[in-house]
Amino acid sequence: AMGATTEASCLAENLVEAYLKTAYGVHASDVAGSFALRIGEPSDVLRALMTRFNRASTAYITACNPFGEALSAQDNLARHQRLGQELAHRSFPHWPGIGEGPDGAWPGEDSFLVLGLDLVAA
């Protein structure tokens, strides 16, 4: 968590604020159903998943709109598919999701919850 704070300081304040308000949805129907994560709020569902898969770290990542730079839907889809292919080649348990802000001002971003991925690797 300390590293995330350091990284976040490189981002514009309004981006950090948007990230803090975002609901990070996860679609893990095979193991946990659908659930949402929020920054700073513990998740019993996530804790149970990490225990089940014996992982000490987790990352919620997206290839869409890097550093808040809006890309086309086509570019974001291609980036998301490449990220999915990369995760499929590795041994990390992962599930798709979508990060959505509360006001709908920014389109939801296709994402992945990845168990066992630490901050540096993410």
Side-chain angles (χ1 to χ4, degrees):
M2 286 183 5
T5 303
T6 303
E7 294 299 317
S9 67
C10 300
L11 299 172
E13 192 173 321
N14 64 325
L15 271 183
V16 174
E17 187 177 319
Y19 295 151
L20 291 172
K21 292 178 180 176
T22 295
Y24 299 94
V26 179
H27 308 298
S29 55
D30 58 333
V31 291
S34 292
F35 61 99
L37 301 170
R38 291 186 178 277
I39 295 173
E41 295 182 15
S43 169
D44 291 340
V45 178
L46 179 57
R47 187 177 295 113
L49 269 179
M50 291 174 70
T51 299
R52 176 176 175 175
F53 287 89
N54 194 29
R55 296 303 200 283
S57 59
T58 301
Y60 190 94
I61 59 175
T62 184
C64 300
N65 304 316
F67 298 101
E69 176 192 347
L71 301 180
S72 71
Q74 184 177 358
D75 285 346
N76 279 332
L77 178 60
R79 293 170 62 89
H80 178 70
Q81 289 173 337
R82 283 197 307 272
L83 177 57
Q85 290 166 354
E86 179 69 22
L87 292 171
H89 284 92
R90 297 172 181 247
S91 59
F92 297 114
H94 65 280
W95 296 270
I98 188 164
E100 297 181 291
D103 56 9
W106 187 269
E109 294 180 340
D110 288 323
S111 305
F112 291 100
L113 176 74
V114 187
L115 299 186
L117 193 62
D118 65 21
L119 182 63
V120 172

